Amino acid sequence: MADIYRLAGLTLPQGVAHESLPGPVTQFMADCWFGMSRTQMIARAKRRGLRLSFRATAPCPSGETGVFELRFNDGVVECLMLARLQRVGARSGKRRQASRTDVSRPPPRDPRQTRLF
């Protein structure tokens, strides 16, 4: 059974400036929101032409938040980010169709805001 993880925060490793990140990675960060699932993050990365891999820095029990290394690769450059993901639990053994209430939706965005990092 696969675990369900929800995004609690994104950050860069110490000593890495956000200006040094490739454009698709900064666009990916702008697309993320609190509560986004790991599956949604992988799908967004693919749309940006990125390959995304997750690696836990330490074991994370159910209901707790853990730190994961996110490695982005666009075929030319690889970069590293840190994500705090909350382990919600495990999926049931059989596949079920997600209803509208189960899916995390992006929050409404204010059109007056400029692109924030």
Side-chain angles (χ1 to χ4, degrees):
M1 291 193 301
D3 294 326
I4 299 171
Y5 290 93
R6 301 274 180 217
L7 180 64
L10 285 172
T11 187
L12 292 171
Q14 190 173 11
V16 176
H18 65 83
E19 293 89 7
S20 66
L21 295 175
V25 175
T26 57
Q27 292 170 347
F28 168 81
M29 288 180 67
D31 288 346
C32 292
W33 65 88
F34 180 79
M36 180 181 210
S37 72
R38 182 175 67 171
T39 306
Q40 288 172 322
M41 291 174 72
I42 292 170
R44 297 268 173 158
K46 281 184 183 179
R47 277 190 233 143
R48 298 279 181 203
L50 299 167
R51 283 178 286 174
L52 176 63
S53 66
F54 290 84
R55 192 179 115 205
T57 58
C60 176
S62 184
E64 297 291 321
T65 301
V67 178
F68 288 75
E69 288 183 354
L70 274 65
R71 294 197 180 271
F72 295 92
N73 190 334
D74 65 356
V76 179
V77 178
E78 181 176 301
C79 62
L80 172 72
M81 247 181 162
L82 299 174
R84 297 185 61 76
L85 299 175
Q86 182 181 16
R87 183 177 171 195
V88 178
R91 294 181 183 153
S92 63
K94 60 181 178 178
R95 280 276 300 164
R96 66 177 178 86
Q97 190 71 309
S99 69
R100 286 190 160 271
T101 57
D102 291 335
V103 179
S104 175
R105 301 277 182 213
R109 300 202 187 236
D110 186 348
R112 297 173 296 175
Q113 287 180 323
T114 59
R115 188 182 78 149
L116 301 176
F117 185 78

Tab-separated table of all heavy atoms in Angstrom, residues 17-70:
chain	number	residue	atom	x	y	z
A	17	ALA	N	20.711	30.094	-3.694
A	17	ALA	CA	19.872	31.260	-3.974
A	17	ALA	C	18.795	30.880	-4.985
A	17	ALA	O	19.044	30.110	-5.910
A	17	ALA	CB	20.718	32.395	-4.522
A	18	HIS	N	17.587	31.426	-4.805
A	18	HIS	CA	16.500	31.087	-5.732
A	18	HIS	C	16.773	31.595	-7.139
A	18	HIS	O	16.228	31.077	-8.098
A	18	HIS	CB	15.151	31.581	-5.215
A	18	HIS	CG	15.027	33.066	-5.116
A	18	HIS	ND1	14.696	33.849	-6.172
A	18	HIS	CD2	15.193	33.904	-4.067
A	18	HIS	CE1	14.660	35.113	-5.801
A	18	HIS	NE2	14.955	35.173	-4.519
A	19	GLU	N	17.630	32.601	-7.265
A	19	GLU	CA	17.971	33.107	-8.606
A	19	GLU	C	18.760	32.086	-9.417
A	19	GLU	O	18.811	32.161	-10.636
A	19	GLU	CB	18.801	34.391	-8.505
A	19	GLU	CG	18.047	35.569	-7.937
A	19	GLU	CD	18.138	35.634	-6.413
A	19	GLU	OE1	18.876	34.850	-5.799
A	19	GLU	OE2	17.445	36.481	-5.830
A	20	SER	N	19.392	31.126	-8.753
A	20	SER	CA	20.210	30.138	-9.453
A	20	SER	C	19.380	28.973	-9.999
A	20	SER	O	19.910	28.139	-10.726
A	20	SER	CB	21.290	29.591	-8.514
A	20	SER	OG	20.695	28.860	-7.452
A	21	LEU	N	18.091	28.924	-9.669
A	21	LEU	CA	17.252	27.821	-10.131
A	21	LEU	C	16.811	28.038	-11.576
A	21	LEU	O	16.560	29.165	-11.989
A	21	LEU	CB	16.006	27.701	-9.247
A	21	LEU	CG	16.248	27.321	-7.801
A	21	LEU	CD1	14.931	27.365	-7.032
A	21	LEU	CD2	16.878	25.956	-7.689
A	22	PRO	N	16.677	26.935	-12.336
A	22	PRO	CA	16.172	27.060	-13.706
A	22	PRO	C	14.721	27.542	-13.713
A	22	PRO	O	13.976	27.337	-12.750
A	22	PRO	CB	16.256	25.631	-14.255
A	22	PRO	CG	17.069	24.852	-13.296
A	22	PRO	CD	17.061	25.575	-12.000
A	23	GLY	N	14.306	28.167	-14.800
A	23	GLY	CA	12.961	28.709	-14.940
A	23	GLY	C	11.842	27.715	-14.675
A	23	GLY	O	10.893	28.030	-13.953
A	24	PRO	N	11.913	26.483	-15.237
A	24	PRO	CA	10.827	25.530	-14.978
A	24	PRO	C	10.664	25.173	-13.496
A	24	PRO	O	9.557	24.925	-13.037
A	24	PRO	CB	11.229	24.290	-15.790
A	24	PRO	CG	12.112	24.813	-16.862
A	24	PRO	CD	12.840	25.978	-16.260
A	25	VAL	N	11.758	25.192	-12.740
A	25	VAL	CA	11.677	24.874	-11.310
A	25	VAL	C	10.991	26.011	-10.553
A	25	VAL	O	10.144	25.770	-9.697
A	25	VAL	CB	13.072	24.574	-10.721
A	25	VAL	CG1	12.992	24.366	-9.220
A	25	VAL	CG2	13.683	23.352	-11.392
A	26	THR	N	11.317	27.259	-10.883
A	26	THR	CA	10.649	28.381	-10.216
A	26	THR	C	9.166	28.428	-10.590
A	26	THR	O	8.324	28.759	-9.764
A	26	THR	CB	11.320	29.729	-10.548
A	26	THR	OG1	11.339	29.912	-11.955
A	26	THR	CG2	12.726	29.792	-10.005
A	27	GLN	N	8.843	28.066	-11.834
A	27	GLN	CA	7.439	28.000	-12.239
A	27	GLN	C	6.723	26.878	-11.495
A	27	GLN	O	5.566	27.035	-11.089
A	27	GLN	CB	7.333	27.793	-13.746
A	27	GLN	CG	7.788	28.986	-14.541
A	27	GLN	CD	7.913	28.673	-16.021
A	27	GLN	OE1	7.892	27.520	-16.439
A	27	GLN	NE2	8.051	29.719	-16.824
A	28	PHE	N	7.406	25.758	-11.296
A	28	PHE	CA	6.829	24.657	-10.527
A	28	PHE	C	6.533	25.103	-9.098
A	28	PHE	O	5.462	24.822	-8.565
A	28	PHE	CB	7.786	23.456	-10.505
A	28	PHE	CG	7.392	22.404	-9.519
A	28	PHE	CD1	6.408	21.476	-9.835
A	28	PHE	CD2	7.981	22.343	-8.275
A	28	PHE	CE1	6.030	20.504	-8.914
A	28	PHE	CE2	7.619	21.376	-7.354
A	28	PHE	CZ	6.641	20.455	-7.679
A	29	MET	N	7.460	25.832	-8.484
A	29	MET	CA	7.260	26.305	-7.115
A	29	MET	C	6.051	27.239	-7.033
A	29	MET	O	5.292	27.203	-6.073
A	29	MET	CB	8.509	27.009	-6.604
A	29	MET	CG	9.652	26.056	-6.322
A	29	MET	SD	11.110	26.890	-5.735
A	29	MET	CE	10.560	27.494	-4.161
A	30	ALA	N	5.868	28.078	-8.050
A	30	ALA	CA	4.731	28.993	-8.065
A	30	ALA	C	3.406	28.234	-8.201
A	30	ALA	O	2.365	28.713	-7.754
A	30	ALA	CB	4.879	29.992	-9.200
A	31	ASP	N	3.445	27.042	-8.803
A	31	ASP	CA	2.245	26.229	-8.992
A	31	ASP	C	1.838	25.451	-7.746
A	31	ASP	O	0.738	24.922	-7.684
A	31	ASP	CB	2.455	25.215	-10.125
A	31	ASP	CG	2.475	25.858	-11.489
A	31	ASP	OD1	2.073	27.031	-11.598
A	31	ASP	OD2	2.898	25.184	-12.443
A	32	CYS	N	2.716	25.349	-6.757
A	32	CYS	CA	2.448	24.528	-5.574
A	32	CYS	C	1.591	25.266	-4.555
A	32	CYS	O	1.598	26.488	-4.497
A	32	CYS	CB	3.766	24.107	-4.914
A	32	CYS	SG	4.701	22.961	-5.923
A	33	TRP	N	0.858	24.517	-3.759
A	33	TRP	CA	0.038	25.082	-2.694
A	33	TRP	C	0.051	24.142	-1.494
A	33	TRP	O	0.363	22.961	-1.604
A	33	TRP	CB	-1.391	25.332	-3.178
A	33	TRP	CG	-2.150	24.101	-3.546
A	33	TRP	CD1	-2.895	23.319	-2.718
A	33	TRP	CD2	-2.246	23.492	-4.839
A	33	TRP	NE1	-3.443	22.276	-3.403
A	33	TRP	CE2	-3.063	22.355	-4.707
A	33	TRP	CE3	-1.717	23.808	-6.088
A	33	TRP	CZ2	-3.357	21.526	-5.788
A	33	TRP	CZ3	-2.025	22.982	-7.150
A	33	TRP	CH2	-2.831	21.867	-7.000
A	34	PHE	N	-0.297	24.673	-0.347
A	34	PHE	CA	-0.371	23.908	0.895
A	34	PHE	C	-1.442	22.833	0.766
A	34	PHE	O	-2.551	23.110	0.329
A	34	PHE	CB	-0.704	24.855	2.060
A	34	PHE	CG	-0.804	24.148	3.384
A	34	PHE	CD1	0.340	23.805	4.076
A	34	PHE	CD2	-2.031	23.823	3.913
A	34	PHE	CE1	0.257	23.148	5.294
A	34	PHE	CE2	-2.128	23.170	5.128
A	34	PHE	CZ	-0.983	22.831	5.819
A	35	GLY	N	-1.115	21.616	1.098
A	35	GLY	CA	-2.071	20.516	1.019
A	35	GLY	C	-2.023	19.747	-0.291
A	35	GLY	O	-2.742	18.772	-0.466
A	36	MET	N	-1.178	20.158	-1.205
A	36	MET	CA	-1.030	19.486	-2.488
A	36	MET	C	-0.467	18.083	-2.246
A	36	MET	O	0.414	17.894	-1.412
A	36	MET	CB	-0.061	20.317	-3.339
A	36	MET	CG	0.230	19.794	-4.691
A	36	MET	SD	1.406	20.932	-5.498
A	36	MET	CE	0.941	20.710	-7.170
A	37	SER	N	-0.962	17.098	-2.961
A	37	SER	CA	-0.474	15.733	-2.763
A	37	SER	C	0.814	15.501	-3.539
A	37	SER	O	1.146	16.233	-4.480
A	37	SER	CB	-1.533	14.720	-3.200
A	37	SER	OG	-1.638	14.694	-4.605
A	38	ARG	N	1.525	14.470	-3.130
A	38	ARG	CA	2.774	14.111	-3.811
A	38	ARG	C	2.493	13.765	-5.269
A	38	ARG	O	3.252	14.131	-6.162
A	38	ARG	CB	3.427	12.941	-3.070
A	38	ARG	CG	4.750	12.524	-3.651
A	38	ARG	CD	5.398	11.473	-2.816
A	38	ARG	NE	4.635	10.242	-2.856
A	38	ARG	CZ	5.057	9.095	-2.360
A	38	ARG	NH1	6.213	9.022	-1.756
A	38	ARG	NH2	4.317	8.015	-2.440
A	39	THR	N	1.384	13.082	-5.530
A	39	THR	CA	1.009	12.725	-6.902
A	39	THR	C	0.757	13.968	-7.741
A	39	THR	O	1.176	14.035	-8.904
A	39	THR	CB	-0.242	11.835	-6.885
A	39	THR	OG1	0.005	10.712	-6.035
A	39	THR	CG2	-0.608	11.355	-8.261
A	40	GLN	N	0.091	14.963	-7.169
A	40	GLN	CA	-0.151	16.214	-7.892
A	40	GLN	C	1.164	16.932	-8.176
A	40	GLN	O	1.324	17.535	-9.240
A	40	GLN	CB	-1.083	17.111	-7.086
A	40	GLN	CG	-2.504	16.631	-7.050
A	40	GLN	CD	-3.360	17.436	-6.094
A	40	GLN	OE1	-2.910	17.830	-5.024
A	40	GLN	NE2	-4.601	17.674	-6.477
A	41	MET	N	2.102	16.885	-7.240
A	41	MET	CA	3.400	17.522	-7.453
A	41	MET	C	4.145	16.864	-8.614
A	41	MET	O	4.724	17.553	-9.457
A	41	MET	CB	4.250	17.452	-6.176
A	41	MET	CG	3.704	18.312	-5.061
A	41	MET	SD	4.610	18.093	-3.521
A	41	MET	CE	6.139	18.918	-3.928
A	42	ILE	N	4.114	15.553	-8.670
A	42	ILE	CA	4.785	14.838	-9.759
A	42	ILE	C	4.141	15.174	-11.097
A	42	ILE	O	4.831	15.414	-12.093
A	42	ILE	CB	4.773	13.321	-9.486
A	42	ILE	CG1	5.677	13.010	-8.287
A	42	ILE	CG2	5.210	12.533	-10.715
A	42	ILE	CD1	5.578	11.594	-7.765
A	43	ALA	N	2.805	15.249	-11.137
A	43	ALA	CA	2.096	15.587	-12.378
A	43	ALA	C	2.441	17.009	-12.833
A	43	ALA	O	2.665	17.249	-14.027
A	43	ALA	CB	0.592	15.442	-12.190
A	44	ARG	N	2.510	17.967	-11.900
A	44	ARG	CA	2.870	19.353	-12.253
A	44	ARG	C	4.294	19.425	-12.781
A	44	ARG	O	4.586	20.171	-13.709
A	44	ARG	CB	2.730	20.269	-11.044
A	44	ARG	CG	1.337	20.385	-10.524
A	44	ARG	CD	0.640	21.548	-11.155
A	44	ARG	NE	-0.759	21.519	-10.735
A	44	ARG	CZ	-1.530	22.547	-10.754
A	44	ARG	NH1	-1.084	23.702	-11.174
A	44	ARG	NH2	-2.780	22.446	-10.385
A	45	ALA	N	5.187	18.673	-12.161
A	45	ALA	CA	6.580	18.673	-12.612
A	45	ALA	C	6.681	18.118	-14.034
A	45	ALA	O	7.409	18.667	-14.872
A	45	ALA	CB	7.449	17.864	-11.657
A	46	LYS	N	5.953	17.061	-14.321
A	46	LYS	CA	5.967	16.482	-15.670
A	46	LYS	C	5.477	17.488	-16.699
A	46	LYS	O	6.023	17.577	-17.796
A	46	LYS	CB	5.110	15.222	-15.733
A	46	LYS	CG	5.787	14.009	-15.182
A	46	LYS	CD	4.909	12.794	-15.367
A	46	LYS	CE	5.549	11.576	-14.758
A	46	LYS	NZ	4.717	10.379	-14.890
A	47	ARG	N	4.427	18.255	-16.343
A	47	ARG	CA	3.917	19.270	-17.272
A	47	ARG	C	4.960	20.337	-17.564
A	47	ARG	O	4.930	20.957	-18.616
A	47	ARG	CB	2.669	19.931	-16.696
A	47	ARG	CG	1.435	19.135	-16.953
A	47	ARG	CD	0.208	19.921	-16.580
A	47	ARG	NE	-0.562	19.059	-15.677
A	47	ARG	CZ	-1.250	19.465	-14.640
A	47	ARG	NH1	-1.311	20.733	-14.332
A	47	ARG	NH2	-1.901	18.615	-13.897
A	48	ARG	N	5.845	20.578	-16.631
A	48	ARG	CA	6.916	21.561	-16.817
A	48	ARG	C	8.152	20.954	-17.473
A	48	ARG	O	9.160	21.632	-17.651
A	48	ARG	CB	7.330	22.160	-15.472
A	48	ARG	CG	6.232	22.911	-14.781
A	48	ARG	CD	6.140	24.277	-15.366
A	48	ARG	NE	5.094	25.044	-14.684
A	48	ARG	CZ	4.506	26.059	-15.224
A	48	ARG	NH1	4.832	26.432	-16.430
A	48	ARG	NH2	3.577	26.714	-14.575
A	49	GLY	N	8.101	19.668	-17.823
A	49	GLY	CA	9.241	19.007	-18.459
A	49	GLY	C	10.323	18.591	-17.475
A	49	GLY	O	11.475	18.428	-17.849
A	50	LEU	N	9.938	18.409	-16.213
A	50	LEU	CA	10.889	18.038	-15.176
A	50	LEU	C	10.636	16.611	-14.707
A	50	LEU	O	9.499	16.157	-14.668
A	50	LEU	CB	10.752	18.972	-13.961
A	50	LEU	CG	11.003	20.443	-14.192
A	50	LEU	CD1	10.531	21.248	-12.993
A	50	LEU	CD2	12.485	20.682	-14.430
A	51	ARG	N	11.710	15.943	-14.345
A	51	ARG	CA	11.587	14.660	-13.655
A	51	ARG	C	11.822	14.943	-12.181
A	51	ARG	O	12.810	15.572	-11.808
A	51	ARG	CB	12.597	13.648	-14.182
A	51	ARG	CG	12.168	13.073	-15.524
A	51	ARG	CD	13.185	12.139	-16.045
A	51	ARG	NE	14.298	12.984	-16.511
A	51	ARG	CZ	15.452	12.536	-16.941
A	51	ARG	NH1	15.690	11.266	-16.968
A	51	ARG	NH2	16.385	13.363	-17.347
A	52	LEU	N	10.916	14.496	-11.346
A	52	LEU	CA	10.953	14.789	-9.923
A	52	LEU	C	11.069	13.497	-9.143
A	52	LEU	O	10.341	12.548	-9.403
A	52	LEU	CB	9.663	15.532	-9.525
A	52	LEU	CG	9.444	15.867	-8.068
A	52	LEU	CD1	10.516	16.815	-7.550
A	52	LEU	CD2	8.072	16.479	-7.873
A	53	SER	N	12.014	13.457	-8.190
A	53	SER	CA	12.130	12.294	-7.320
A	53	SER	C	12.140	12.750	-5.870
A	53	SER	O	12.653	13.823	-5.549
A	53	SER	CB	13.390	11.493	-7.647
A	53	SER	OG	14.543	12.243	-7.357
A	54	PHE	N	11.548	11.938	-5.002
A	54	PHE	CA	11.456	12.217	-3.574
A	54	PHE	C	12.332	11.226	-2.818
A	54	PHE	O	12.373	10.045	-3.163
A	54	PHE	CB	10.020	12.022	-3.074
A	54	PHE	CG	9.052	13.052	-3.558
A	54	PHE	CD1	8.452	12.937	-4.796
A	54	PHE	CD2	8.736	14.133	-2.768
A	54	PHE	CE1	7.554	13.878	-5.237
A	54	PHE	CE2	7.835	15.088	-3.200
A	54	PHE	CZ	7.244	14.956	-4.437
A	55	ARG	N	12.991	11.709	-1.769
A	55	ARG	CA	13.740	10.819	-0.886
A	55	ARG	C	13.606	11.338	0.540
A	55	ARG	O	13.936	12.494	0.815
A	55	ARG	CB	15.210	10.754	-1.283
A	55	ARG	CG	15.929	9.631	-0.570
A	55	ARG	CD	17.370	9.542	-0.981
A	55	ARG	NE	18.120	9.869	0.225
A	55	ARG	CZ	19.315	10.354	0.266
A	55	ARG	NH1	19.943	10.623	-0.848
A	55	ARG	NH2	19.907	10.603	1.389
A	56	ALA	N	13.114	10.494	1.431
A	56	ALA	CA	12.943	10.900	2.826
A	56	ALA	C	14.311	11.025	3.488
A	56	ALA	O	15.189	10.185	3.289
A	56	ALA	CB	12.090	9.881	3.570
A	57	THR	N	14.494	12.080	4.275
A	57	THR	CA	15.744	12.245	5.008
A	57	THR	C	15.742	11.430	6.295
A	57	THR	O	16.792	11.130	6.834
A	57	THR	CB	16.014	13.723	5.329
A	57	THR	OG1	14.913	14.236	6.089
A	57	THR	CG2	16.170	14.530	4.053
A	58	ALA	N	14.545	11.087	6.785
A	58	ALA	CA	14.389	10.259	7.981
A	58	ALA	C	13.011	9.604	7.924
A	58	ALA	O	12.109	10.116	7.255
A	58	ALA	CB	14.511	11.119	9.242
A	59	PRO	N	12.816	8.480	8.620
A	59	PRO	CA	11.488	7.856	8.634
A	59	PRO	C	10.441	8.807	9.208
A	59	PRO	O	10.718	9.588	10.108
A	59	PRO	CB	11.664	6.641	9.550
A	59	PRO	CG	13.128	6.386	9.594
A	59	PRO	CD	13.799	7.713	9.380
A	60	CYS	N	9.244	8.716	8.655
A	60	CYS	CA	8.148	9.612	9.057
A	60	CYS	C	6.936	8.764	9.442
A	60	CYS	O	6.328	8.139	8.579
A	60	CYS	CB	7.810	10.542	7.899
A	60	CYS	SG	6.425	11.625	8.208
A	61	PRO	N	6.570	8.746	10.742
A	61	PRO	CA	5.386	7.978	11.132
A	61	PRO	C	4.097	8.649	10.647
A	61	PRO	O	4.086	9.836	10.328
A	61	PRO	CB	5.459	7.949	12.658
A	61	PRO	CG	6.371	9.051	13.040
A	61	PRO	CD	7.248	9.340	11.865
A	62	SER	N	3.028	7.888	10.610
A	62	SER	CA	1.740	8.400	10.149
A	62	SER	C	1.273	9.559	11.017
A	62	SER	O	1.388	9.536	12.231
A	62	SER	CB	0.701	7.286	10.185
A	62	SER	OG	-0.505	7.744	9.660
A	63	GLY	N	0.789	10.615	10.365
A	63	GLY	CA	0.312	11.805	11.064
A	63	GLY	C	1.388	12.822	11.335
A	63	GLY	O	1.099	13.940	11.748
A	64	GLU	N	2.635	12.490	11.104
A	64	GLU	CA	3.758	13.398	11.349
A	64	GLU	C	4.198	14.055	10.045
A	64	GLU	O	3.857	13.620	8.961
A	64	GLU	CB	4.942	12.642	11.966
A	64	GLU	CG	4.641	12.039	13.316
A	64	GLU	CD	4.453	13.091	14.395
A	64	GLU	OE1	5.180	14.086	14.394
A	64	GLU	OE2	3.557	12.896	15.231
A	65	THR	N	4.997	15.109	10.190
A	65	THR	CA	5.568	15.802	9.035
A	65	THR	C	7.046	15.460	8.942
A	65	THR	O	7.763	15.534	9.934
A	65	THR	CB	5.384	17.323	9.176
A	65	THR	OG1	3.984	17.594	9.289
A	65	THR	CG2	5.944	18.055	7.980
A	66	GLY	N	7.480	15.082	7.756
A	66	GLY	CA	8.876	14.733	7.534
A	66	GLY	C	9.494	15.594	6.459
A	66	GLY	O	8.800	16.229	5.664
A	67	VAL	N	10.822	15.603	6.434
A	67	VAL	CA	11.565	16.371	5.433
A	67	VAL	C	11.994	15.418	4.322
A	67	VAL	O	12.535	14.343	4.584
A	67	VAL	CB	12.789	17.063	6.061
A	67	VAL	CG1	13.574	17.810	5.008
A	67	VAL	CG2	12.354	18.006	7.171
A	68	PHE	N	11.750	15.837	3.095
A	68	PHE	CA	12.102	15.044	1.918
A	68	PHE	C	12.992	15.866	1.003
A	68	PHE	O	12.818	17.074	0.885
A	68	PHE	CB	10.838	14.653	1.141
A	68	PHE	CG	10.004	13.617	1.820
A	68	PHE	CD1	9.224	13.940	2.914
A	68	PHE	CD2	10.014	12.317	1.364
A	68	PHE	CE1	8.453	12.990	3.547
A	68	PHE	CE2	9.242	11.350	1.991
A	68	PHE	CZ	8.466	11.692	3.085
A	69	GLU	N	13.938	15.192	0.351
A	69	GLU	CA	14.749	15.821	-0.691
A	69	GLU	C	13.996	15.681	-2.003
A	69	GLU	O	13.573	14.589	-2.362
A	69	GLU	CB	16.101	15.131	-0.817
A	69	GLU	CG	17.043	15.380	0.303
A	69	GLU	CD	18.393	14.712	0.065
A	69	GLU	OE1	18.549	13.951	-0.925
A	69	GLU	OE2	19.294	14.945	0.880
A	70	LEU	N	13.828	16.774	-2.705
A	70	LEU	CA	13.230	16.762	-4.037
A	70	LEU	C	14.344	17.028	-5.030
A	70	LEU	O	15.033	18.036	-4.930
A	70	LEU	CB	12.174	17.863	-4.178
A	70	LEU	CG	10.765	17.569	-3.722
A	70	LEU	CD1	10.705	17.339	-2.253
A	70	LEU	CD2	9.861	18.673	-4.142
